[in-house]
Amino acid sequence: MDSVGRVLIREARPEDDVAIGELLVDAYVTQYAKKLPEVVYTDERKRALREVAAKREVATVLVAEVGGEVAGTVALFAPGAPGSEAWLPDAADLRHLATAVRYHGQGLGKPLLDAAEALARKWGVKAVCLHVRRGVSGVARMYMGRGYVRTPEGDLDTPTVFLEAYVLRLAV
């Protein structure tokens, strides 16, 4: 990767938990402040993002490492895993893609998504499901550019947020 140097994608380890949690909070707060200033991240939501150890118990958490630093992350939940929001049977759930603020716009999301999608294929699942907050059209376009298709039947309308569903069908 030319703009950020050499990138290592690997599974997260316990010693990465704090760095991943802070990266998620910083990235989400910074990006939503730019794109959707009305979105407020509560202390409860920040606490949930920082619960990386609990997430590693139910999902595969990957990190992008640049120069020994955790520079990005993504989580993939297997079909039926606790906390999965996949609405299709035999589908993985992709969550919490983020890069450190200083790496935004430098293409670090691509190797993370490549690795997560490769893992889903290795698992033999038929699809990868994900949700994007309504109004974050640039993120949605990025996923659609990778072959994800808008799938309204998987939308989540919670009391605090409306999440639009997308799916990538995998060849089996």
Side-chain angles (χ1 to χ4, degrees), residues 8-41:
L8 170 66
I9 305 296
R10 61 171 175 80
E11 197 163 329
R13 300 183 291 252
E15 59 268 27
D16 299 321
D17 291 353
V18 170
I20 294 167
E22 292 309 311
L23 182 151
L24 285 167
V25 170
D26 290 346
Y28 280 39
V29 169
T30 300
Q31 290 309 295
Y32 283 122
K34 287 180 187 174
K35 297 172 183 158
L36 299 170
E38 71 279 8
V39 174
V40 175
Y41 268 82

Side-chain angles (χ1 to χ4, degrees), residues 45-65:
R45 177 66 174 136
K46 291 175 185 175
R47 194 169 26 262
L49 288 170
R50 290 181 174 118
E51 291 177 353
V52 178
K55 189 180 351 174
R56 282 189 301 97
E57 290 179 11
V58 296
T60 300
V61 178
L62 300 175
V63 296
E65 188 179 291

